[in-house]
Amino acid sequence: MRQGGNVPVFPTAELQSFWTSWIQLRGSRALPHYRDLFEGLPPTLIPHMVVLENMADDNHLVRFVGTSVVSMWGTDNTNDILAAVVPAAFLDGFSYLIRITLAHPCGALSQINVESAQGISIHLNVIVLPVANDPGRPERTVIFTNPAPHKDDETLMISTVHSESREWLDIGFGTPETSQPALAMAIHP
C-alpha cells in the first residue's frame, strides 16, 4: 500500500477516517475506483461526499452529492454542471485544484470559509482526491467535507467563498512543486 512521504494530520476525525479509508480502498492500485467508495467506505462518511466528473474546458459534472451536503446547501445538484451552482470567483480556483490533483496525481486539503446570503459563516475542511473511472470514461474526483454546524431548517445560499489555505497530500506520487500558485492566488489573482 503506497501512501507517500509524510502521513498528514487532519483537523477532524471524519477527515482522518476518510483519508485512511481512501488509502485502504485502493489497495495496490494507483487510485480506488469511484464505486469502491460506495461499497467500502464506512456508511457515516458517504453523506459528506461529492463526486465530480471532469469534462472539457474545466467543466465538472456533479455525479453524486451526499445527503449531508444536500442538507447543508438545500439542494441536490446531482447531474448539474458545477459552474452553474458555485460562485464564479470560487470556480476558477477550485478547477485549478481539481486539475492538479488529477494530473499529478495527488490530493489536497483545503480550508474554506463560506458566507451565505443570510449572513451565516461556516468554516469547512475539504479533502479533494482523484478516483478511477471505467476505461474510456472521464476522470473523476471525490470531495469530502467535514460536517458543517448548521440548523437543520437552515439552508445556505452561498454568497462568497474564501480559501484560507491549501496543503497538497502525497498519495504516493509526490506533490506539486512549491512554485505552483496557491489556491487562494487562483481565486483572488
Side-chain angles (χ1 to χ4, degrees):
M1 177 180 354
R2 266 189 322 248
Q3 178 170 318
N6 297 328
V7 177
V9 177
F10 294 96
T12 70
E14 294 91 356
L15 292 165
Q16 182 65 56
S17 180
F18 183 78
W19 169 260
T20 302
S21 297
W22 186 93
I23 295 291
Q24 290 171 346
L25 287 173
R26 76 173 176 177
S28 62
R29 300 171 294 172
L31 305 172
H33 195 280
Y34 79 90
R35 281 192 292 272
D36 295 339
L37 301 173
F38 297 99
E39 297 167 0
L41 280 178
T44 56
L45 298 178
I46 294 172
H48 309 289
M49 194 171 74
V50 174
V51 177
L52 300 178
E53 188 169 276
N54 196 34
M55 300 168 50
D57 299 326
D58 259 349
N59 283 317
H60 311 284
L61 179 63
V62 180
R63 284 298 190 181
F64 172 81
V65 182
T67 55
S68 174
V69 178
V70 169
S71 174
M72 182 170 46
W73 302 122
T75 185
D76 183 350
N77 295 116
T78 301
N79 294 322
D80 287 344
I81 301 296
L82 189 63
V85 297
V86 300
F90 177 69
L91 186 62
D92 288 344
F94 199 66
S95 290
Y96 165 80
L97 188 67
I98 291 171
R99 209 171 34 250
I100 297 298
T101 59
L102 288 170
H104 192 76
C106 62
L109 172 64
S110 188
Q111 288 77 40
I112 301 169
N113 277 325
V114 177
E115 293 179 24
S116 74
Q118 304 97 321
I120 301 166
S121 182
I122 291 185
H123 179 80
L124 298 175
N125 294 292
V126 178
I127 295 178
V128 180
L129 290 164
V131 288
N133 198 352
D134 297 329
R137 300 290 301 155
E139 297 175 303
R140 291 193 175 182
T141 306
V142 62
I143 296 129
F144 181 85
T145 184
N146 61 300
H150 71 287
K151 297 177 184 169
D152 288 337
D153 61 347
E154 210 170 48
T155 58
L156 302 177
M157 306 289 287
I158 303 172
S159 64
T160 59
V161 180
H162 302 283
S163 177
E164 290 183 0
S165 65
R166 185 253 310 122
E167 173 186 348
W168 296 116
L169 303 173
D170 186 352
I171 61 172
F173 307 98
T175 59
E177 295 176 3
T178 56
S179 62
Q180 292 287 344
L183 177 59
M185 293 303 293
I187 293 173
H188 305 289

